[in-house]
Amino acid sequence: MHKYTQHFIKALISLILVSSTYASTVVAISDNQIDIGHEKLRAHLYRNFSEYQNGYDTDRNGKVDDLNGWNFIHDTNKVFDPSLIGTFDPNVYKYYEVRRRKTLKIATDEELEWYKEIRKDDDFMDHRSDFSSYTHGSHVTCLAMNTKKLPYEMKSWDLKFMPIRYLGDDEVGLFKKKEFTPSKYSRSYYKIQNIKNYLNYYQSWMIKKFEETVKYSANKSKIYHASWGQSWEPAYDMVNELFQDEFDISEKEADKKYKSTITKFRNDYMKGLMKKGQRVVESYSNILFVFSAGNKKDNTDEMLHYPSSIIADNVISVGAIDEDNEDKAYFSNFGKTTVSLFAPGVAIYSCSPGDRYIPINGTSQAAPHVTNIAAKIFAMADYYAKPISPAHVKDILLSSATKKAKLSNLCVSGGTLNESAAIMTARRFLRW
């Protein structure tokens, strides 16, 4: 039997055995594709019991046969492509392991030399980038579904994830982006207006994507998790590229001649994302949103990061703590008012497609640690038959954080995630 067929037969058997009851907590994971047949994930896969595999939209939500989430990139129920398993250069796995050892300062001279040389190989680095995109969703989801430590009020099958394919290329439907077309006019006024109009469109397109996926998952999940975002400086680069295309000039020329206009357009674009994004999250007050804070070393109070800089009672933004659990990781964003707390994000082992495991650094890895504890708190609330709001869950997570002197001015809580304290605090609240 073909190994990919075996892979999904195992997933189907687990789904039948474990998913016959409704889960206490469903987490919508908005990411790229997720290996739903992975040995650590198949027992936690969400099942839409209002839908049947019959070629019809049984539950009338506009999605045909959406048994286990939805692929918004290709507008299909196929949330994972198993044919890519085993097709990547084995050196990508070595790359992540050596990078882990380098980060922890335990790599040998030979390993450091190998790492230095392979990073000069553009073809390999492009290949690694493709692999990173392919593995990201699975890596994040396994952390969010971690059941190594469970409160006695719940079982492992109380945690389910709903795959939301949000990231990727070849978009269709709502996710299909209209490409920028330079103006036919010669006057600068009309050219700049053309850029402004496109940025207004692009901003609305970004928000519509976000809102559509939130709307889809809102009546099925309690948490919307997103380990992705738009950073401040890359947004400037994006606007700069529009000026290059519109005026047919180089990056340096655009930066020299139109820097102030580019900066203003970037600022307006990012502030607009925050304002409109906030309306979305506040419209779904029954959902807890957990966002990764970003990896640009930015103060996101000033250099906004979408969507994690959105401030709302039901939004948690997560930065990454360093390997010593004392200070922020060197790459992590921070913000006294925009980052809620920190969590482990350095050399974190988690799933990779095909029942493999790799270590990755990032706030993408820190955020699902928080999602995991939040999901457990929601499950505990079901056990006690006591309602708990996303705002209450957020308050529990932030109030129970372990205070760190080096984090006191870098996030709202001034500390890092403390799982045991959060569970104890939740238990006291739910028993009261």
Side-chain angles (χ1 to χ4, degrees):
M1 185 182 294
H2 198 279
K3 63 179 180 179
Y4 303 139
T5 303
Q6 291 177 323
H7 191 64
F8 280 90
I9 286 177
K10 290 179 181 178
L12 180 61
I13 292 172
S14 295
L15 183 63
I16 294 171
L17 293 177
V18 181
S19 299
S20 57
T21 57
Y22 287 90
S24 292
T25 306
V26 176
V27 179
I29 305 287
S30 173
D31 212 287
N32 53 32
Q33 54 184 315
I34 300 167
D35 183 1
I36 59 176
H38 195 285
E39 62 184 3
K40 289 293 186 181
L41 289 178
R42 53 184 177 245
H44 297 285
L45 180 61
Y46 157 83
R47 172 65 163 89
N48 179 6
F49 288 99
S50 299
E51 187 76 11
Y52 304 96
Q53 186 77 42
N54 57 9
Y56 297 97
D57 180 14
T58 313
D59 61 1
R60 299 183 180 181
N61 67 350
K63 307 290 185 284
V64 176
D65 295 344
D66 59 325
L67 303 180
N68 310 117
W70 195 252
N71 179 344
F72 283 85
I73 296 296
H74 302 113
D75 204 21
T76 176
N77 65 350
K78 295 179 175 60
V79 295
F80 179 70
D81 179 5
S83 69
L84 292 175
I85 293 176
T87 64
F88 290 93
D89 183 343
N91 276 326
V92 296
Y93 300 99
K94 180 179 179 181
Y95 176 91
Y96 282 99
E97 179 57 33
V98 173
R99 190 174 73 172
R100 178 190 75 88
R101 295 174 60 80
K102 178 178 180 292
T103 300
L104 300 179
K105 297 179 174 59
I106 58 174
T108 65
D109 290 342
E110 182 181 1
E111 288 172 331
L112 291 173
E113 183 61 27
W114 178 88
Y115 184 79
K116 178 181 177 181
E117 289 303 313
I118 203 165
R119 285 181 61 85
K120 297 177 182 177
D121 185 334
D122 292 338
D123 289 339
F124 172 80
M125 292 306 290
D126 287 343
H127 188 73
R128 186 207 65 85
S129 180
D130 291 340
F131 174 79
S132 177
S133 296
Y134 183 64
T135 202
H136 189 272
S138 302
H139 204 270
V140 166
T141 305
C142 272
L143 294 170
M145 294 293 107
N146 181 16
T147 57
K148 289 182 179 179
K149 291 172 62 178
L150 290 173
Y152 65 78
E153 294 93 340
M154 63 178 293
K155 303 297 182 183
S156 64
W157 57 77
D158 284 326
L159 295 183
K160 300 291 184 191
F161 72 96
M162 178 196 302
I164 301 292
R165 180 76 188 279
Y166 189 94
L167 304 174
D169 299 322
D170 302 319
E171 304 96 337
V172 298
L174 177 64
F175 273 51
K176 184 174 179 59
K177 180 180 64 177
K178 179 177 69 176
E179 296 301 325
F180 176 72
T181 303
S183 168
K184 297 178 181 179
Y185 298 102
S186 58
R187 287 182 58 187
S188 293
Y189 170 82
Y190 292 113
K191 287 181 173 294
I192 289 176
Q193 189 63 40
N194 187 45
I195 295 171
K196 185 176 182 179
N197 291 342
Y198 182 79
L199 281 171
N200 289 337
Y201 152 78
Y202 190 78
Q203 183 187 93
S204 296
W205 176 74
M206 290 279 283
I207 293 298
K208 285 177 181 176
K209 287 202 308 175
F210 177 45
E211 187 170 25
E212 181 68 14
T213 55
V214 173
K215 178 182 176 181
Y216 173 79
S217 59
N219 65 345
K220 307 176 184 72
S221 62
K222 295 179 179 178
I223 301 172
Y224 182 98
H225 180 98
S227 280
W228 46 259
Q230 170 74 70
S231 295
W232 187 251
E233 285 304 321
Y236 179 94
D237 295 339
M238 179 189 73
V239 179
N240 184 290
E241 287 180 8
L242 295 179
F243 274 79
Q244 293 173 52
D245 291 345
E246 180 63 55
F247 289 93
D248 192 22
I249 55 179
S250 69
E251 178 182 354
K252 289 184 178 180
E253 287 176 312
D255 197 45
K256 180 179 180 180
K257 189 172 183 180
Y258 298 105
K259 186 177 183 63
S260 61
T261 306
I262 293 172
T263 300
K264 181 182 185 307
F265 280 12
R266 185 274 311 275
N267 294 354
D268 291 345
Y269 166 74
M270 291 298 290
K271 289 176 182 177
L273 282 180
M274 301 307 149
K275 185 176 181 179
K276 294 176 181 178
Q278 184 163 2
R279 289 175 187 165
V280 174
V281 301
E282 289 180 348
S283 296
Y284 292 90
S285 58
N286 61 318
I287 297 293
L288 178 66
F289 293 85
V290 181
F291 300 137
S292 59
N295 305 322
K296 296 294 185 180
K297 310 176 188 178
D298 292 340
N299 179 349
T300 54
D301 293 354
E302 301 170 358
M303 304 173 74
L304 302 174
H305 179 267
Y306 170 79
S308 71
S309 289
I310 295 172
I311 299 174
D313 290 342
N314 58 330
V315 171
I316 298 178
S317 170
V318 187
I321 194 77
D322 67 7
E323 61 271 25
D324 297 321
N325 206 37
E326 291 296 332
D327 199 356
K328 84 171 188 70
Y330 69 92
F331 54 80
S332 180
N333 287 348
F334 60 95
K336 178 64 176 176
T337 62
T338 51
V339 174
S340 306
L341 75 169
F342 286 78
V346 175
I348 304 299
Y349 273 102
S350 189
C351 303
S352 182
D355 292 345
R356 300 194 69 156
Y357 302 85
I358 60 172
I360 301 180
N361 300 336
T363 59
S364 284
Q365 284 57 53
H369 281 91
V370 174
T371 289
N372 178 254
I373 308 308
K376 290 173 180 176
I377 293 172
F378 277 119
M380 292 170 65
D382 282 357
Y383 174 86
Y384 288 107
K386 185 170 182 178
I388 189 168
S389 70
H392 277 132
V393 174
K394 177 180 178 178
D395 183 63
I396 288 170
L397 291 166
L398 270 61
S399 64
S400 62
T402 301
K403 305 297 183 183
K404 299 287 183 179
K406 293 181 179 180
L407 301 180
S408 61
N409 292 312
L410 301 183
C411 66
V412 177
S413 68
T416 186
L417 177 69
N418 185 322
E419 177 176 357
S420 299
I423 295 299
M424 288 174 54
T425 302
R427 186 173 290 131
R428 285 196 298 267
F429 171 78
L430 293 167
R431 280 177 167 178
W432 183 77

